[in-house]
Amino acid sequence: MDTKVAQILDGKALAQKIYAELADQIQSLQAEIGRPPGLAVLMVGDNPASAAYVRNKERACQKIGIASFGKHFPAETAFGELEQVIQSLNQDERVDGILVQLPLPPHLDSVALLHAIAPDKDADGLHPVNLGRLVRGESGLRSCTPAGVMRLLQEYEIELKGKQAVILGRSILVGKPMALMLLEADATVTIAHSRSQNLPDITRSADILIAAVGRPNLVTPEMVKPNAVVVDVGINRVTDDAGNSRLVGDVQFEGVLCVASSITPVPGGIGPMTVAMLLQNTVWSYSQKR
Ligand SMILES: Nc1nc(=O)c2c([nH]1)NC[C@@H]1CN(c3ccc(C(=O)N[C@@H](CCC(=O)O)C(=O)O)cc3)C=[N+]21
């Protein structure tokens, strides 16, 4: 018996295409604005995963013509000092986007720090003003990971209107803004979470299943409706039996591949889309300066 396998939704390839488009946009905007776009990335402490992510973002900026202003602070930096840096970046005319790499060391109130960013420079789309604009359906800077999911689904012409969408996870970074974006696209939206009862019944009702929990292998084939579209937002570093570290999502990929109609891989799925949306947000802020 030959088994049917799902279509792979290639976030890495789409991110490359978006970079090419952004590079063109920057070229033509720069003639009018007279300077390149600028993104400031603040990193506090030396979490190796964060350092790698920040390097990726800076490399992506360089590739498309965004000036990146990296600022690295020791783990013990005081809140007030970071707040002042953000305030001066808010005033800095060369800077269109500001990003505070998360997680921050535990003594720092990350919510308060994110709130110090000027809403129109909030490249991550996490400021309450931007979340409020999303709730209202107004234009504004959108949270990068859910925006990346929407863009990828759009690229593959996956119909959302009237479909059952189920999101696993209710975080402010992904689950909640994801629900609002799917609602904006006329999906019927359910958010399930760690306290939800009968989780497999809920997930099996999904035409579109978004896993954003951060737990490897949470989504098994039995939890997926045949021919569903499965989007894996999880980024989990695991060590296999041979002692090698690798990246896996929240979905048991090999199993679900034979049930779903389309699926995003990890790596190469939503991760690269998140970075592409960060740069898109920066270019959008920049374009407002015309
Ligand atoms: N203020 C802030 N904004 C963020 O957007 C943010 C953050 N803090 N803190 C950490 C998380 C994590 N995150 C990722 C982005 C891209 C990949 C990514 O591109 N991953 C590659 C693989 C990279 C690898 O191999 O290590 C992939 O999935 O193909 C992963 C993770 C953004 N985050």
Side-chain angles (χ1 to χ4, degrees):
M1 195 187 86
D2 57 350
T3 42
K4 187 174 66 74
V5 297
Q7 172 191 42
I8 305 291
L9 305 176
D10 188 342
K12 193 171 179 183
L14 178 54
Q16 296 305 318
K17 176 175 154 185
I18 291 168
Y19 290 147
E21 289 167 3
L22 290 175
D24 283 349
Q25 273 182 45
I26 291 169
Q27 282 263 316
S28 55
L29 285 166
Q30 199 161 339
E32 277 183 77
I33 300 174
R35 61 164 178 87
L39 174 65
V41 179
L42 275 65
M43 184 179 151
V44 186
D46 36 33
N47 178 327
S50 290
Y53 292 143
V54 168
R55 273 197 305 278
N56 282 345
K57 288 167 185 172
E58 289 174 343
R59 210 174 308 130
C61 281
Q62 192 175 19
K63 196 166 114 167
I64 70 167
I66 296 178
S68 66
F69 303 89
K71 293 190 185 284
H72 191 180
F73 300 89
E76 58 279 7
T77 307
F79 181 88
E81 184 183 336
L82 294 166
E83 196 180 29
Q84 278 178 16
V85 170
I86 289 175
Q87 279 159 2
S88 77
L89 292 168
N90 286 344
Q91 305 296 323
D92 190 331
E93 304 232 319
R94 299 166 304 165
V95 173
D96 303 288
I98 302 170
L99 169 132
V100 176
Q101 184 68 21
L102 301 173
L104 290 171
H107 73 279
L108 292 169
D109 180 345
S110 47
V111 174
L113 209 53
L114 295 179
H115 291 195
I117 296 172
D120 294 326
K121 294 191 177 188
D122 170 33
D124 262 329
L126 300 178
H127 190 282
V129 165
N130 288 314
L131 292 170
R133 286 170 174 155
L134 173 60
V135 173
R136 282 192 172 275
E138 293 171 1
S139 69
L141 293 162
R142 294 287 192 250
S143 317
C144 298
T145 299
V149 172
M150 296 304 287
R151 181 68 183 81
L152 189 60
L153 295 175
Q154 180 193 30
E155 183 73 11
Y156 284 88
E157 297 180 349
I158 288 166
E159 171 112 325
L160 298 173
K161 190 172 180 169
K163 300 292 184 189
Q164 296 283 345
V166 173
I167 301 155
L168 287 173
R170 55 178 155 179
S171 73
I172 194 70
L173 289 176
V174 183
K176 285 176 187 167
M178 187 80 255
L180 293 164
M181 290 181 202
L182 287 164
L183 196 57
E184 202 169 33
D186 296 324
T188 304
V189 180
T190 301
I191 304 180
H193 48 78
S194 53
R195 301 296 158 92
S196 296
Q197 292 182 352
N198 305 324
L199 198 57
D201 288 342
I202 299 171
T203 57
R204 266 197 305 268
S205 75
D207 301 310
I208 320 286
L209 180 61
I210 316 263
V213 173
R215 198 132 61 81
N217 296 320
L218 176 73
V219 177
T220 57
E222 303 74 47
M223 294 168 71
V224 177
K225 175 166 150 177
N227 295 317
V229 174
V230 178
V231 175
D232 192 349
V233 177
I235 302 267
N236 308 294
R237 193 161 285 284
V238 297
T239 307
D240 64 20
D241 299 336
N244 300 313
S245 153
R246 65 193 179 101
L247 222 51
V248 300
D250 293 347
V251 176
Q252 198 191 298
F253 184 80
E254 286 76 15
V256 173
L257 195 60
C258 302
V259 181
S261 65
S262 308
I263 188 168
T264 65
V266 177
I270 301 305
M273 290 302 299
T274 298
V275 181
M277 293 299 104
L278 172 74
L279 302 200
Q280 182 176 285
N281 274 346
T282 304
V283 175
W284 187 80
S285 297
Y286 173 67
S287 73
Q288 302 301 102
K289 315 252 163 73
R290 258 182 309 195

